Amino acid sequence: MKEFAGFGNLLFPMPDRHRDPLTLDQMERLLPYHSHIHTKTTIEVLETLKEEVGQGKKIFYPIYTEEEMRQDPEKRNTGLFFFRGKVDEPFAIVNAGGGFQYVGAIHESFPHCMEIARRGYNAFALIYRPNAYEACEDLARAIAFIFDHHEQLQVSTMCYSLWGGSAGARMAAWLGSYGTKEFGEKPYPKAGTIVMQYTGLSEWTRNDPPTFVIVGDHDYIADWRIMKRRIDHLKQAGIDTSFRVVSGLEHGFGIGMGTKAQGWIDEAIDFWQEQMKKEK
């Protein structure tokens, strides 16, 4: 689509093995670590973005300078897709998973951002380099970019949240635990809330932000019990937490459309709102 010129290549993961044209109903071939992929939701995301562009709104923001991208061409494949909520409301950054092999944003961050924006909050989907440390560098830069441009973007930096599924959940947790300075940026305020889906991360710190977790008990990629133990440690350290395990649900369910998890994003936003109240 001409509306997405300059960044349309970042909407879908395109590994080298898929050189033949694919239709939207074949998208699961691009997302081997994901499940419950809904073509209708994909179309809704694309139509939403197209409508924003048609209204003259900027929907994509590079996070690196031209000089940085010349020095490291892989940084051209990064950036933030902006789903606008209400002016001067807090923001969320959502990080899709993909095993640090691809970025499944079309299933695991764009739909989340769309739902968050419908609740009035501003949401950014990060497209990052699929390497664990570099991905965290990109997330740290994304936080820096939003803080440094918050007036232009018309977002509040109060009690921002970091979201992620699978590999993206690790990114959100690591930035929550260690902060932006650990990943090459100056120290920015830490997130007010972390929202995590299905990952096998066990490490934690006493500085972790309040954390919301949802997992399925049929997840054969990331055992839900690892997440439960992590949340128990946070809770014992006096950190606000919320943990939900969904029976019969596997890895990579995204917004959970058509599953027992459908509507979980509202629960996560409610948890985030409780943290906002405490910051005021």
Side-chain angles (χ1 to χ4, degrees):
M1 294 182 182
K2 65 180 186 300
E3 291 87 355
F4 302 147
F7 52 81
N9 60 307
L10 303 179
L11 290 167
F12 295 89
M14 291 301 294
D16 290 340
R17 65 181 179 274
H18 288 297
R19 297 187 180 278
D20 296 330
L22 297 177
T23 59
L24 290 180
D25 61 359
Q26 297 174 303
M27 194 171 60
E28 69 276 1
R29 292 171 60 187
L30 299 177
L31 302 165
Y33 297 137
H34 293 91
S35 61
H36 300 282
I37 299 162
H38 285 256
T39 303
K40 183 178 178 181
T41 301
T42 301
I43 293 171
E44 188 177 3
V45 165
L46 296 174
E47 288 178 342
T48 297
L49 292 173
K50 182 179 178 181
E51 182 178 350
E52 291 282 289
V53 173
Q55 294 175 0
K57 297 175 182 177
K58 187 172 182 178
I59 64 168
F60 180 76
Y61 292 83
I63 55 176
Y64 290 105
T65 66
E66 185 61 35
E67 178 60 26
E68 288 172 316
M69 291 188 288
R70 276 199 296 268
Q71 292 179 3
D72 182 355
E74 287 300 313
K75 290 180 177 178
R76 291 194 183 277
N77 296 321
T78 68
L80 290 166
F81 284 90
F82 188 12
F83 291 73
R84 289 172 174 79
K86 294 180 181 178
V87 171
D88 293 331
E89 288 293 330
F91 70 88
I93 303 177
V94 187
N95 308 282
F100 295 117
Q101 297 181 40
Y102 65 90
V103 181
I106 195 66
H107 174 65
E108 207 171 60
S109 61
F110 294 159
H112 298 57
C113 287
M114 194 163 58
E115 294 299 323
I116 294 167
R118 284 171 176 164
R119 286 286 297 269
Y121 299 106
N122 296 288
F124 296 87
L126 175 64
I127 309 299
Y128 56 86
R129 291 169 291 168
N131 165 283
Y133 188 81
E134 290 177 348
C136 289
E137 288 182 326
D138 296 341
L139 179 52
R141 172 56 65 91
I143 294 167
F145 178 88
I146 296 170
F147 266 82
D148 293 348
H149 297 86
H150 73 94
E151 292 183 356
Q152 171 194 344
L153 296 167
Q154 297 184 305
V155 303
S156 169
T157 56
M158 185 272 293
C159 197
Y160 72 95
S161 59
L162 300 177
W163 299 50
S166 197
R170 289 173 176 259
M171 294 163 58
W174 283 328
L175 265 293
S177 294
Y178 305 114
T180 52
K181 187 177 181 181
E182 183 70 19
F183 298 101
E185 301 294 329
K186 68 182 184 182
Y188 287 86
K190 72 175 185 178
T193 299
I194 304 296
V195 177
M196 302 174 69
Q197 292 181 268
Y198 39 73
T199 194
L201 182 67
S202 58
E203 66 187 272
W204 63 283
T205 75
R206 293 184 179 276
N207 296 318
D208 274 31
T211 301
F212 176 101
V213 168
I214 183 168
V215 294
D217 69 356
H218 281 197
D219 190 328
Y220 300 113
I221 294 177
D223 192 325
W224 66 271
R225 297 172 187 84
I226 297 174
M227 298 290 285
K228 179 64 165 59
R229 287 195 291 271
R230 184 178 192 274
I231 283 293
D232 287 345
H233 286 307
L234 296 180
K235 191 173 182 179
Q236 291 165 9
I239 297 168
D240 284 352
T241 63
S242 177
F243 179 83
R244 179 181 172 193
V245 59
V246 184
S247 63
L249 203 55
E250 61 270 47
H251 194 82
F253 57 80
I255 60 173
M257 187 67 68
T259 74
K260 294 179 182 178
Q262 186 167 332
W264 75 266
I265 286 184
D266 286 329
E267 299 172 26
I269 292 173
D270 290 344
F271 179 84
W272 181 23
Q273 287 176 327
E274 288 300 313
Q275 311 315 314
M276 292 180 200
K277 292 175 185 176
K278 294 175 184 178
E279 279 204 16
K280 288 182 178 178

